[in-house]
């Protein structure tokens, strides 16, 4: 089929590449010309393993084209995905300005299109948005009838950054939230070659499934982190505890890795948006409040445990290894390294930092620290090290020869404790040696 995709971020680009791989013709649309130039050259505008290989293949064979023109791209295709950003506003609510602007442009094109066209919301949007905002915007700007001239659906995206290409081609489930059978048939046909389970719901249920999924995953992490602080105090290792807990098939071992907390473009934003909706509905959210509070605590907890271990950090040179919110990405949105570094600077430490992929992005939000390309140089020149992203590069440092270090504090179980025998090394969720 011919598919246009509005917004070429992590979701839009990987969805486009996956659909091209399934044999469809794709037009990727964005408002930023440099992003499209990069895509046209076979390079994703962000670091994501496995994307460039398939992108080059499909730019090369003509299945993927790019455009700055939403209306022309809609005219030229049968299905349009909306995958623009839905960031948090200052008060935690979802900012709908980009999805509404994209919908308005799509509607204007549909005004002069004769054939049936399906519009799919792929961005994460709060329950009620597709039916209550996107549909009226499309109808007003196109003057067409839903279910007759146009189909509208909400298909949430569940990919993880760092594994985006794999997840797009092998989703656990495809949720299709739509009201009419014609739209469902077209979309289930489009996704059929993936061979995944398909769940048909209303658009509002599809929206809620996405928020409930992300909030539950964030809850598992914050739960593990709360248990982790108790484990430290009672003298056991939270990883051993969660191994035993996760062996229960009703619980599963996934997302019970305790550490410095969750970052990224979605968990913090989506949990906040869900709490905001509940507040508007005059509902209390004690679990979600606790999930966010636990996440706020962890970076400060790591710093305070380091102080207990090595004394005041004021005036010490501190190396932070890892700035991306997780490995295999250059994304720094809501990375836990930011509150950690802010806390270190507040305490009067001198901070230098490294990340294999995310230093340029981090430099844009923080200028008053030193950045070093070589993690070994950071370790050699520091008094204390914080490991914040579990990049494999940090395991190959020769830790055995770094006796000058006062301490190494690991927020992500990055290194093997066997490598750290000569050092004062502490990893979150374990008792702190006195
Ligand atoms: P992103 O910020 O990486 O990309 C959004 C893109 O949309 C940008 O390139 C921007 O220039 C473009 N854009 C904005 N307005 C536009 C317009 N009017 N026309 C054309 N392009 C426009 O965002 P993302 O991380 O891909 O996330 C997109 C949505 O998907 C969000 O709602 C997010 O919550 C959701 N989501 C993201 C992930 C993820 O891992 N990043 C996973 C699942 C769901
Ligand atoms: C997450 C979800 O896993 C995806 O299903 C979802 O589509 C996406 O959000 C989204 O809506 O954007 P992502 O943020 O890319 O994906 O990465 P995750 O692997 O989920 O990690 C998120 C954060 O949680 C990272 O900072 C990671 O270090 C942390 N985490 C993860 C833990 O602290 N412990 C764990 O056990 C797992």
């Amino acid at each position: 089929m011919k598919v246009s995709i509005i917004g070429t971020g992590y979701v839009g680009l990987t969805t486009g590449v996956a659909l091209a791989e399934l044999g469809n013709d794709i037009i990727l649309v964005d408002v930023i010309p440099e992003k499209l130039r990069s895509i046209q050259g076979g390079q994703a505008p962000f670091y994501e393993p496995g994307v460039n290989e398939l992108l080059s293949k499909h730019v090369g064979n003509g299945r993927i084209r790019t455009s700055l023109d939403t209306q022309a791209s809609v005219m030229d295709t049968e299905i349009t995905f909306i995958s623009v950003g839905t960031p948090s506003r200052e008060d935690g609510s979802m900012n709908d300005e980009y999805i509404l602007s994209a919908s308005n442009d799509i509607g204007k094109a549909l005004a002069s299109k004769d054939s049936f066209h399906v519009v799919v919301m792929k961005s994460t949007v709060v329950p009620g948005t597709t039916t209550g905002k996107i549909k009226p915007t499309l109808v007003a700007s196109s003057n067409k009838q839903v279910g007759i001239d146009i189909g509208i659906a909400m298909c949430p995206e569940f990919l993880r950054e760092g594994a985006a290409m794999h997840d797009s081609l092998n989703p656990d489930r495809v949720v299709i939230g739509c009201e009419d059978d014609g739209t469902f048939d077209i979309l289930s046909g489009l996704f059929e070659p993936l061979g995944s389970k398909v769940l048909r719901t209303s658009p509002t249920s599809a929206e809620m499934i996405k928020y409930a999924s992300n909030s539950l995953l964030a809850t598992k992490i914050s739960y593990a982190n709360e248990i982790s602080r108790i484990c430290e105090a009672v003298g056991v290792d939270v990883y051993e505890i969660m191994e035993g807990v996760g062996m229960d098939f009703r619980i599963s071992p996934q997302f019970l890795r305790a550490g410095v907390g969750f970052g990224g473009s979605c968990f913090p934003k989506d949990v906040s948006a869900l709490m905001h909706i509940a507040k508007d509905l005059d509902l209390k959210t004690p679990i979600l409040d606790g999930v966010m509070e636990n996440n706020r605590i962890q970076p400060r907890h790591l710093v305070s445990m380091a102080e207990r271990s090595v004394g005041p950090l004021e005036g010490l040179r501190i190396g932070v290894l890892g700035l991306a919110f997780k490995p295999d990405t250059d994304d720094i949105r809501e990375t836990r390294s930011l509150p950690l570094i802010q806390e270190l600077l507040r305490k009067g430490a001198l901070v230098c930092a490294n990340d294999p992929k995310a230093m340029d992005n981090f430099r844009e939000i923080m200028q008053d620290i030193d950045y070093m390309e070589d993690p070994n140089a950071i370790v050699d020149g520091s008094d204390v090290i914080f490991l914040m992203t579990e990049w494999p590069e940090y395991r190959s440092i020769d830790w055995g020869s770094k006796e000058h270090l006062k301490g190494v504090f690991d927020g992500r179980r990055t290194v093997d404790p066997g490598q750290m025998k000569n050092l004062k090394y502490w990893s979150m969720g374990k008792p702190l040696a006195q």
Side-chain angles (χ1 to χ4, degrees):
M1 299 203 73
K2 291 179 166 184
V3 180
S4 45
I5 298 187
I6 317 301
T8 63
Y10 293 86
V11 170
L13 181 58
T14 39
T15 301
V17 172
L19 289 174
E21 186 69 5
L22 300 184
N24 301 285
D25 291 317
I26 310 297
I27 306 178
L28 294 171
V29 182
D30 209 287
V31 286
I32 302 178
E34 304 87 77
K35 285 198 176 189
L36 297 182
R37 266 197 294 279
S38 169
I39 292 169
Q40 208 53 58
Q43 296 289 317
F46 43 82
Y47 175 70
E48 180 62 45
V51 171
N52 287 347
E53 292 78 355
L54 290 180
L55 179 62
S56 311
K57 173 177 155 190
H58 294 300
V59 168
N61 65 23
R63 267 201 198 135
I64 292 184
R65 289 182 288 144
T66 61
S67 173
L68 283 165
D69 188 340
T70 298
Q71 293 191 38
S73 304
V74 170
M75 288 302 285
D76 211 9
T77 51
E78 300 149 288
I79 303 175
T80 300
F81 283 85
I82 301 175
S83 52
V84 300
T86 48
S88 291
R89 290 203 186 92
E90 200 73 345
D91 63 359
S93 64
M94 183 196 80
N95 181 346
D96 57 13
E97 106 190 55
Y98 308 105
I99 48 166
L100 291 180
S101 152
S103 305
N104 192 39
D105 286 346
I106 295 167
K108 282 189 204 154
L110 294 177
S112 46
K113 193 162 189 266
D114 294 329
S115 51
F116 191 76
H117 194 97
V118 174
V119 179
V120 186
M121 175 52 68
K122 199 96 194 39
S123 303
T124 302
V125 289
V126 295
T129 305
T130 304
T131 307
K133 290 189 174 174
I134 303 305
K135 186 169 157 182
T137 304
L138 284 170
V139 169
S141 50
S142 68
N143 214 10
K144 297 275 172 159
Q145 278 186 279
V146 176
I148 295 170
D149 308 309
I150 53 177
I152 298 179
M154 199 284 149
C155 294
E157 176 56 59
F158 300 101
L159 67 79
R160 296 159 299 167
E161 288 180 26
M165 208 59 256
H166 169 272
D167 291 352
S168 295
L169 287 167
N170 306 279
D172 292 329
R173 76 293 211 194
V174 172
V175 177
I176 303 178
C178 64
E179 279 155 6
D180 63 285
D181 292 346
T183 300
F184 178 75
D185 291 345
I186 289 171
L187 291 179
S188 52
L190 181 73
F191 293 123
E192 200 199 336
L194 293 171
S196 305
K197 282 180 264 180
V198 173
L199 179 67
R200 180 176 177 176
T201 66
S202 70
T204 305
S205 293
E207 291 160 345
M208 192 65 196
I209 285 170
K210 176 66 190 172
Y211 278 95
S213 298
N214 271 3
S215 297
L216 180 57
L217 292 169
T219 302
K220 286 187 86 172
I221 298 169
S222 273
Y223 174 76
N225 286 338
E226 188 162 314
I227 296 294
S228 163
R229 294 193 300 275
I230 302 172
C231 287
E232 291 164 9
V234 301
V236 294
D237 178 357
V238 70
Y239 271 55
E240 189 185 14
I241 304 312
M242 288 306 165
E243 187 183 355
V245 171
M247 280 174 174
D248 184 329
F249 79 95
R250 296 168 301 174
I251 298 174
S252 111
Q254 298 294 323
F255 278 70
L256 292 175
R257 291 196 321 274
V260 74
F262 55 80
S265 65
C266 291
F267 286 169
K269 153 176 99 65
D270 294 347
V271 176
S272 301
L274 193 54
M275 287 163 66
H276 197 272
I277 310 165
K279 196 168 159 217
D280 280 350
L281 295 167
D282 215 12
L283 296 168
K284 295 207 182 316
T285 51
I287 292 179
L288 299 180
D289 298 348
V291 168
M292 293 304 282
E293 175 60 10
N294 256 303
N295 208 46
R296 206 175 58 78
I297 288 173
Q298 287 302 88
R300 279 190 290 128
H301 177 63
L302 180 56
V303 173
S304 77
M305 293 296 267
E307 282 178 317
R308 266 177 60 183
S309 176
V310 302
L313 301 177
E314 189 178 359
L316 294 187
R317 191 161 170 85
I318 299 199
V320 175
L321 296 183
L323 300 171
F325 83 95
K326 63 185 274 192
D328 283 332
T329 183
D330 59 3
D331 197 340
I332 55 152
R333 289 178 283 184
E334 298 289 339
T335 172
R336 301 291 78 203
S337 303
L338 181 62
L340 178 111
I341 292 173
Q342 286 168 335
E343 180 76 352
L344 294 173
L345 292 175
R346 203 178 61 75
K347 292 192 175 280
L350 306 161
V351 177
C352 53
N354 167 271
D355 190 283
K357 298 287 176 198
M359 278 198 290
D360 288 346
N361 286 340
F362 205 83
R363 210 179 264 119
E364 283 177 22
I365 59 163
M366 185 168 273
Q367 290 81 38
D368 44 2
I369 59 171
D370 286 342
Y371 292 91
M372 296 175 84
E373 293 292 335
D374 180 3
N376 284 290
I378 294 228
V379 177
D380 288 341
S382 298
D383 302 305
V384 173
I385 295 290
F386 285 87
L387 288 157
M388 293 295 289
T389 314
E390 62 274 39
W391 286 103
E393 283 86 338
Y394 300 149
R395 287 189 203 117
S396 47
I397 290 170
D398 178 13
W399 291 101
S401 62
K402 312 292 182 195
E403 277 100 352
H404 68 281
L405 290 171
K406 291 181 191 297
V408 178
F409 300 94
D410 195 341
R412 298 274 184 210
R413 300 275 161 133
T414 312
V415 291
D416 173 0
Q419 292 177 275
M420 314 302 278
K421 279 198 184 111
N422 302 333
L423 298 173
K424 185 182 269 188
Y425 168 72
W426 179 71
S427 158
M428 294 185 95
K430 281 187 177 178
L432 185 68
Q434 294 307 314

